[in-house]
Amino acid sequence: MVKSKKQMSEKIKKIFAVSILFLSFAPLFPQNSDIRDELLVTKDIRTAEEGLAYEEFRRGIQAFYRGSYNDSVLQFEKALGYTPEDNRILEWLGKAYYYSGLEGTALQEWERCSSLGWGGLLLKNKIEIVKERRFSFENDAIEALYTEAGSYPGFYKGNMIFSEPVSALANNNGTFWVLCYGSNELLLFNINGSVIDRITGPLNGFDHPLDMIRLSSGNILVSEVSGNRLCLLDKKGHFVKYIGKKGRQTGELLGPQYLAEDFRGNIYVSDYGNRRVAVFDREGNGLFSFGSNAKGEFPGLKGPTGIAVISDSVYVCDDLKGIIYEFDLSGNFRKKIVLEKTFKRPESMKVWSDYLVVADSNKIISVDTLTGEIYENINSGNAPSRLTCAVPDVNGNILVTDFKANEVYVMSKMQELVGGLFLQIEKVDSSRFPEVQLDVKVESRSRNSIVGLKENNFYITEDKRPVSKLKFLGSASDNDYADITLVIDRSMTMKDENSLSLVENAVKDIVQDMGGKGVLRILSAGLRPANEYTGNPENERLFSSKALRTPFSSVVPLDLAFRLAANELVNAAKKRAIIFITDGKVTQHSFDKYSLAETASYLNNNSVILSAIYLNQEGISEETEYLVNNTKGKSYYVFQEEGLSSVVSDIVDIPQGNYSFSYVSAMQTNFGEKFLPVEVEAYLMNRSGRDETGYFAPLQ
């Protein structure tokens, strides 16, 4: 039967309307279960429940990127209420739990996804790393065996780059200095091994330099063996002045070798030709020397080489006896750390935590200063080698100079090389779409931030296609300020006038050291933690403890106080920290709602450092110290001899492996309804890491 033109027209309109309706939902129907595919996989026709789930999912992602992790958890839970078998929502729910510090719950969701075939090796690797970290918060032990991750040869394609490297010095931004005995120069390398600066010293040049250290002022001090002097350089390697001269009197040197500095700024030099340790003040004036025979108690130094200072102890290697001696800061002999002939030919000795890292012929050996136990970290084998220096870098590696092989090695733990980098895309800002901004964090498996990476260390794609107009916006390690939240203990033991006065002094010291940079927040930790101030640090120069509104309490839930403080810092500057001011006494029920591990996870996963200032030296609490140690913070005593002047600078100097990028997206957004994938890979020597995420453009 032939239909009229009018009937045909009506039918075409209906088909067209249905087609438009279907196409508008097309982005919601993925074609397979790959991690980059769209949401809601299982059905050809979207139900009302699936549509509602999709809207909640979109809101959950937006809340996540705002740093509102609790809100994102609620949104993802609602979405799962509509489509409980959706693996993508499950994975994002796990991610929200992870950044909330609830790692156990996050692992449950991720393992459920992985068991259903979602996420592939990328998700399995994330699960493995997070599991390892949950039981290894403590800083890396130096006892591990290290292997070569990369090397920088002195000759490349027949051209000499440097000759006879003898010492290395790591910088907080991932670059490092290498001092060269043979070519009489100081080279600055970036993390990829390129020479970015070459220093030859003053007009007359270096005269066979051997060792270098960074002083507390930030300046660099170099020893010159043949010049019989020390050469002071500024932070960029420019000549400042000479210290010492040839001779045997106080302030004079014969063949100075290795260097160290104590907390007062005094400089210790192993004066090999005079068989002693020479000591200078921070201005370079000679003070005294030590190391001679002490009436049978100490046989005297025969060949002093490596030297190091930890707290109030000076450690000195003797290469003729193969031993390490311990002295106090005045040069009085204390004891032998190891037996004679423990070392064959010890050279430099550097500090890593409470360990001494000794370069000894073809080995790098660490020594526990408390027990005297030794651990072999590196062995170059039978190849011609003379290792002269081993120093930890900012990324948890060890930089080793090989004088005879004319190479600089970067040594890493085997598990770090095998496991690769842990990369996380933390935030996507699409508010100015098609311009998109990414915040990326790169760490080792053991939580060490990887700093110093450049644009060429990253590869960013959208749905496997390279992005366009990629810009590297910078890294957090370059920032010279931090946002800081002061959490002031309001327990009853902090109520006396003396404590109130000490709190005021501590706050004023921190305000002064911030120098008007960053944002200062003050939070009172009482029964209910409360914000007291947010703004420019300068406005709190006249801070008064009596102005705090939060009453004192016999119960102080520190878990809630630290969590509230961290909440305010999630969207703050990339360098951010909590400083807890307390007498050290922890009340009952301090960690009832969130455990210590969950609190530490929340801080760590959001790059928040926690440091503590104690009003009472004997009142240090195990709970607070656990959080301090496991977030890379430090503890201070309000009356410590060196004062509190380094608290802020210590926070600023802590490595932060956060990087920012922008690019112009070529993806179709479907009026802001489409889930847009993005992937980031990072490469460093023999290691790499990868993460994948997605976002929504603004609704139109």
Side-chain angles (χ1 to χ4, degrees), residues 138-161:
E138 297 297 331
N139 294 332
D140 290 2
I142 190 105
E143 298 95 326
L145 187 64
Y146 285 69
T147 189
E148 184 179 328
S151 66
Y152 310 121
F155 285 85
Y156 181 70
K157 294 183 178 180
N159 298 316
M160 188 188 81
I161 302 173

PDB file of all heavy atoms in Angstrom, residues 138-161:
ATOM      1  N   GLU A 138      58.360   4.002  57.135  1.00  0.00           N
ATOM      2  CA  GLU A 138      59.638   4.529  57.606  1.00  0.00           C
ATOM      3  C   GLU A 138      60.545   4.888  56.439  1.00  0.00           C
ATOM      4  O   GLU A 138      60.446   4.331  55.348  1.00  0.00           O
ATOM      5  CB  GLU A 138      60.334   3.493  58.500  1.00  0.00           C
ATOM      6  CG  GLU A 138      59.566   3.168  59.777  1.00  0.00           C
ATOM      7  CD  GLU A 138      59.413   4.369  60.688  1.00  0.00           C
ATOM      8  OE1 GLU A 138      60.280   5.260  60.659  1.00  0.00           O
ATOM      9  OE2 GLU A 138      58.431   4.432  61.430  1.00  0.00           O
ATOM     10  N   ASN A 139      61.451   5.808  56.676  1.00  0.00           N
ATOM     11  CA  ASN A 139      62.405   6.206  55.650  1.00  0.00           C
ATOM     12  C   ASN A 139      63.236   5.012  55.210  1.00  0.00           C
ATOM     13  O   ASN A 139      63.466   4.063  55.957  1.00  0.00           O
ATOM     14  CB  ASN A 139      63.333   7.305  56.181  1.00  0.00           C
ATOM     15  CG  ASN A 139      62.579   8.579  56.455  1.00  0.00           C
ATOM     16  OD1 ASN A 139      61.570   8.859  55.823  1.00  0.00           O
ATOM     17  ND2 ASN A 139      63.083   9.359  57.399  1.00  0.00           N
ATOM     18  N   ASP A 140      63.698   5.088  53.972  1.00  0.00           N
ATOM     19  CA  ASP A 140      64.468   3.988  53.410  1.00  0.00           C
ATOM     20  C   ASP A 140      65.668   3.656  54.289  1.00  0.00           C
ATOM     21  O   ASP A 140      66.395   4.528  54.730  1.00  0.00           O
ATOM     22  CB  ASP A 140      64.976   4.359  52.023  1.00  0.00           C
ATOM     23  CG  ASP A 140      63.845   4.429  51.011  1.00  0.00           C
ATOM     24  OD1 ASP A 140      62.688   4.230  51.390  1.00  0.00           O
ATOM     25  OD2 ASP A 140      64.158   4.680  49.858  1.00  0.00           O
ATOM     26  N   ALA A 141      65.871   2.384  54.538  1.00  0.00           N
ATOM     27  CA  ALA A 141      67.076   1.951  55.251  1.00  0.00           C
ATOM     28  C   ALA A 141      68.230   1.938  54.264  1.00  0.00           C
ATOM     29  O   ALA A 141      68.086   1.544  53.111  1.00  0.00           O
ATOM     30  CB  ALA A 141      66.850   0.566  55.843  1.00  0.00           C
ATOM     31  N   ILE A 142      69.393   2.361  54.718  1.00  0.00           N
ATOM     32  CA  ILE A 142      70.557   2.445  53.825  1.00  0.00           C
ATOM     33  C   ILE A 142      71.236   1.096  53.674  1.00  0.00           C
ATOM     34  O   ILE A 142      72.157   0.958  52.885  1.00  0.00           O
ATOM     35  CB  ILE A 142      71.538   3.496  54.368  1.00  0.00           C
ATOM     36  CG1 ILE A 142      72.663   3.808  53.363  1.00  0.00           C
ATOM     37  CG2 ILE A 142      72.180   3.040  55.635  1.00  0.00           C
ATOM     38  CD1 ILE A 142      72.518   5.078  52.697  1.00  0.00           C
ATOM     39  N   GLU A 143      70.765   0.082  54.415  1.00  0.00           N
ATOM     40  CA  GLU A 143      71.444  -1.207  54.365  1.00  0.00           C
ATOM     41  C   GLU A 143      71.276  -1.920  53.035  1.00  0.00           C
ATOM     42  O   GLU A 143      71.933  -2.922  52.780  1.00  0.00           O
ATOM     43  CB  GLU A 143      70.926  -2.137  55.481  1.00  0.00           C
ATOM     44  CG  GLU A 143      71.176  -1.632  56.880  1.00  0.00           C
ATOM     45  CD  GLU A 143      69.994  -0.872  57.434  1.00  0.00           C
ATOM     46  OE1 GLU A 143      69.317  -0.195  56.636  1.00  0.00           O
ATOM     47  OE2 GLU A 143      69.754  -0.930  58.642  1.00  0.00           O
ATOM     48  N   ALA A 144      70.397  -1.431  52.168  1.00  0.00           N
ATOM     49  CA  ALA A 144      70.084  -2.135  50.929  1.00  0.00           C
ATOM     50  C   ALA A 144      71.261  -2.113  49.960  1.00  0.00           C
ATOM     51  O   ALA A 144      72.151  -1.265  50.038  1.00  0.00           O
ATOM     52  CB  ALA A 144      68.858  -1.511  50.273  1.00  0.00           C
ATOM     53  N   LEU A 145      71.251  -3.065  49.031  1.00  0.00           N
ATOM     54  CA  LEU A 145      72.256  -3.124  47.979  1.00  0.00           C
ATOM     55  C   LEU A 145      71.784  -2.283  46.800  1.00  0.00           C
ATOM     56  O   LEU A 145      70.637  -2.381  46.371  1.00  0.00           O
ATOM     57  CB  LEU A 145      72.480  -4.576  47.544  1.00  0.00           C
ATOM     58  CG  LEU A 145      73.635  -4.821  46.567  1.00  0.00           C
ATOM     59  CD1 LEU A 145      74.964  -4.470  47.219  1.00  0.00           C
ATOM     60  CD2 LEU A 145      73.630  -6.273  46.111  1.00  0.00           C
ATOM     61  N   TYR A 146      72.667  -1.456  46.285  1.00  0.00           N
ATOM     62  CA  TYR A 146      72.331  -0.558  45.176  1.00  0.00           C
ATOM     63  C   TYR A 146      72.980  -1.051  43.894  1.00  0.00           C
ATOM     64  O   TYR A 146      74.044  -1.675  43.916  1.00  0.00           O
ATOM     65  CB  TYR A 146      72.803   0.867  45.475  1.00  0.00           C
ATOM     66  CG  TYR A 146      71.942   1.588  46.486  1.00  0.00           C
ATOM     67  CD1 TYR A 146      71.934   1.198  47.819  1.00  0.00           C
ATOM     68  CD2 TYR A 146      71.136   2.653  46.113  1.00  0.00           C
ATOM     69  CE1 TYR A 146      71.146   1.855  48.752  1.00  0.00           C
ATOM     70  CE2 TYR A 146      70.346   3.323  47.031  1.00  0.00           C
ATOM     71  CZ  TYR A 146      70.362   2.921  48.350  1.00  0.00           C
ATOM     72  OH  TYR A 146      69.570   3.559  49.266  1.00  0.00           O
ATOM     73  N   THR A 147      72.334  -0.737  42.770  1.00  0.00           N
ATOM     74  CA  THR A 147      72.867  -1.106  41.466  1.00  0.00           C
ATOM     75  C   THR A 147      72.798   0.093  40.539  1.00  0.00           C
ATOM     76  O   THR A 147      72.074   1.055  40.796  1.00  0.00           O
ATOM     77  CB  THR A 147      72.088  -2.297  40.875  1.00  0.00           C
ATOM     78  OG1 THR A 147      72.764  -2.775  39.711  1.00  0.00           O
ATOM     79  CG2 THR A 147      70.666  -1.896  40.503  1.00  0.00           C
ATOM     80  N   GLU A 148      73.522   0.034  39.450  1.00  0.00           N
ATOM     81  CA  GLU A 148      73.635   1.195  38.568  1.00  0.00           C
ATOM     82  C   GLU A 148      72.329   1.456  37.822  1.00  0.00           C
ATOM     83  O   GLU A 148      71.801   0.588  37.131  1.00  0.00           O
ATOM     84  CB  GLU A 148      74.770   0.972  37.565  1.00  0.00           C
ATOM     85  CG  GLU A 148      75.024   2.164  36.661  1.00  0.00           C
ATOM     86  CD  GLU A 148      76.160   1.932  35.687  1.00  0.00           C
ATOM     87  OE1 GLU A 148      77.103   1.191  36.049  1.00  0.00           O
ATOM     88  OE2 GLU A 148      76.098   2.479  34.574  1.00  0.00           O
ATOM     89  N   ALA A 149      71.836   2.679  37.943  1.00  0.00           N
ATOM     90  CA  ALA A 149      70.647   3.096  37.194  1.00  0.00           C
ATOM     91  C   ALA A 149      71.035   3.902  35.971  1.00  0.00           C
ATOM     92  O   ALA A 149      70.247   4.042  35.034  1.00  0.00           O
ATOM     93  CB  ALA A 149      69.736   3.935  38.091  1.00  0.00           C
ATOM     94  N   GLY A 150      72.241   4.455  35.970  1.00  0.00           N
ATOM     95  CA  GLY A 150      72.724   5.251  34.854  1.00  0.00           C
ATOM     96  C   GLY A 150      74.105   5.768  35.168  1.00  0.00           C
ATOM     97  O   GLY A 150      74.578   5.674  36.305  1.00  0.00           O
ATOM     98  N   SER A 151      74.790   6.305  34.171  1.00  0.00           N
ATOM     99  CA  SER A 151      76.134   6.840  34.394  1.00  0.00           C
ATOM    100  C   SER A 151      76.398   7.976  33.425  1.00  0.00           C
ATOM    101  O   SER A 151      75.775   8.081  32.368  1.00  0.00           O
ATOM    102  CB  SER A 151      77.185   5.744  34.224  1.00  0.00           C
ATOM    103  OG  SER A 151      77.228   5.302  32.873  1.00  0.00           O
ATOM    104  N   TYR A 152      77.356   8.830  33.829  1.00  0.00           N
ATOM    105  CA  TYR A 152      77.758   9.964  33.014  1.00  0.00           C
ATOM    106  C   TYR A 152      79.266   9.861  32.795  1.00  0.00           C
ATOM    107  O   TYR A 152      80.062  10.165  33.686  1.00  0.00           O
ATOM    108  CB  TYR A 152      77.406  11.279  33.699  1.00  0.00           C
ATOM    109  CG  TYR A 152      75.974  11.339  34.175  1.00  0.00           C
ATOM    110  CD1 TYR A 152      75.673  11.538  35.522  1.00  0.00           C
ATOM    111  CD2 TYR A 152      74.925  11.179  33.285  1.00  0.00           C
ATOM    112  CE1 TYR A 152      74.362  11.583  35.959  1.00  0.00           C
ATOM    113  CE2 TYR A 152      73.605  11.226  33.713  1.00  0.00           C
ATOM    114  CZ  TYR A 152      73.328  11.427  35.046  1.00  0.00           C
ATOM    115  OH  TYR A 152      72.026  11.465  35.478  1.00  0.00           O
ATOM    116  N   PRO A 153      79.689   9.429  31.605  1.00  0.00           N
ATOM    117  CA  PRO A 153      81.128   9.248  31.343  1.00  0.00           C
ATOM    118  C   PRO A 153      81.831  10.575  31.099  1.00  0.00           C
ATOM    119  O   PRO A 153      81.234  11.547  30.626  1.00  0.00           O
ATOM    120  CB  PRO A 153      81.142   8.379  30.081  1.00  0.00           C
ATOM    121  CG  PRO A 153      79.848   8.701  29.382  1.00  0.00           C
ATOM    122  CD  PRO A 153      78.851   8.983  30.479  1.00  0.00           C
ATOM    123  N   GLY A 154      83.123  10.602  31.429  1.00  0.00           N
ATOM    124  CA  GLY A 154      83.910  11.802  31.219  1.00  0.00           C
ATOM    125  C   GLY A 154      84.220  12.067  29.760  1.00  0.00           C
ATOM    126  O   GLY A 154      84.523  13.201  29.376  1.00  0.00           O
ATOM    127  N   PHE A 155      84.167  11.001  28.923  1.00  0.00           N
ATOM    128  CA  PHE A 155      84.380  11.153  27.487  1.00  0.00           C
ATOM    129  C   PHE A 155      83.132  10.686  26.750  1.00  0.00           C
ATOM    130  O   PHE A 155      82.520   9.678  27.107  1.00  0.00           O
ATOM    131  CB  PHE A 155      85.590  10.329  27.025  1.00  0.00           C
ATOM    132  CG  PHE A 155      86.905  10.940  27.401  1.00  0.00           C
ATOM    133  CD1 PHE A 155      87.456  10.713  28.655  1.00  0.00           C
ATOM    134  CD2 PHE A 155      87.593  11.753  26.508  1.00  0.00           C
ATOM    135  CE1 PHE A 155      88.675  11.278  29.007  1.00  0.00           C
ATOM    136  CE2 PHE A 155      88.806  12.326  26.866  1.00  0.00           C
ATOM    137  CZ  PHE A 155      89.350  12.089  28.112  1.00  0.00           C
ATOM    138  N   TYR A 156      82.752  11.438  25.716  1.00  0.00           N
ATOM    139  CA  TYR A 156      81.581  11.063  24.914  1.00  0.00           C
ATOM    140  C   TYR A 156      81.904  11.328  23.447  1.00  0.00           C
ATOM    141  O   TYR A 156      82.215  12.456  23.061  1.00  0.00           O
ATOM    142  CB  TYR A 156      80.362  11.875  25.339  1.00  0.00           C
ATOM    143  CG  TYR A 156      79.098  11.521  24.574  1.00  0.00           C
ATOM    144  CD1 TYR A 156      78.471  10.297  24.780  1.00  0.00           C
ATOM    145  CD2 TYR A 156      78.560  12.404  23.646  1.00  0.00           C
ATOM    146  CE1 TYR A 156      77.324   9.960  24.093  1.00  0.00           C
ATOM    147  CE2 TYR A 156      77.403  12.075  22.950  1.00  0.00           C
ATOM    148  CZ  TYR A 156      76.787  10.850  23.173  1.00  0.00           C
ATOM    149  OH  TYR A 156      75.652  10.523  22.474  1.00  0.00           O
ATOM    150  N   LYS A 157      81.893  10.240  22.662  1.00  0.00           N
ATOM    151  CA  LYS A 157      82.192  10.316  21.231  1.00  0.00           C
ATOM    152  C   LYS A 157      83.546  10.999  20.975  1.00  0.00           C
ATOM    153  O   LYS A 157      83.687  11.844  20.086  1.00  0.00           O
ATOM    154  CB  LYS A 157      81.082  11.044  20.478  1.00  0.00           C
ATOM    155  CG  LYS A 157      79.759  10.294  20.480  1.00  0.00           C
ATOM    156  CD  LYS A 157      78.705  11.016  19.645  1.00  0.00           C
ATOM    157  CE  LYS A 157      77.409  10.222  19.617  1.00  0.00           C
ATOM    158  NZ  LYS A 157      76.351  10.905  18.811  1.00  0.00           N
ATOM    159  N   GLY A 158      84.518  10.632  21.798  1.00  0.00           N
ATOM    160  CA  GLY A 158      85.865  11.144  21.617  1.00  0.00           C
ATOM    161  C   GLY A 158      86.124  12.511  22.212  1.00  0.00           C
ATOM    162  O   GLY A 158      87.263  12.993  22.190  1.00  0.00           O
ATOM    163  N   ASN A 159      85.109  13.163  22.758  1.00  0.00           N
ATOM    164  CA  ASN A 159      85.265  14.495  23.342  1.00  0.00           C
ATOM    165  C   ASN A 159      85.288  14.403  24.863  1.00  0.00           C
ATOM    166  O   ASN A 159      84.483  13.685  25.463  1.00  0.00           O
ATOM    167  CB  ASN A 159      84.118  15.405  22.907  1.00  0.00           C
ATOM    168  CG  ASN A 159      84.089  15.612  21.411  1.00  0.00           C
ATOM    169  OD1 ASN A 159      85.125  15.839  20.790  1.00  0.00           O
ATOM    170  ND2 ASN A 159      82.898  15.529  20.821  1.00  0.00           N
ATOM    171  N   MET A 160      86.216  15.145  25.487  1.00  0.00           N
ATOM    172  CA  MET A 160      86.291  15.133  26.942  1.00  0.00           C
ATOM    173  C   MET A 160      85.257  16.088  27.526  1.00  0.00           C
ATOM    174  O   MET A 160      85.193  17.261  27.157  1.00  0.00           O
ATOM    175  CB  MET A 160      87.683  15.550  27.419  1.00  0.00           C
ATOM    176  CG  MET A 160      87.861  15.350  28.928  1.00  0.00           C
ATOM    177  SD  MET A 160      89.399  16.019  29.581  1.00  0.00           S
ATOM    178  CE  MET A 160      88.949  17.746  29.749  1.00  0.00           C
ATOM    179  N   ILE A 161      84.443  15.572  28.442  1.00  0.00           N
ATOM    180  CA  ILE A 161      83.470  16.401  29.151  1.00  0.00           C
ATOM    181  C   ILE A 161      84.047  16.835  30.490  1.00  0.00           C
ATOM    182  O   ILE A 161      83.922  17.988  30.893  1.00  0.00           O
ATOM    183  CB  ILE A 161      82.149  15.624  29.349  1.00  0.00           C
ATOM    184  CG1 ILE A 161      81.598  15.191  27.991  1.00  0.00           C
ATOM    185  CG2 ILE A 161      81.136  16.471  30.113  1.00  0.00           C
ATOM    186  CD1 ILE A 161      80.406  14.280  28.077  1.00  0.00           C
TER     187      ILE A 161
END
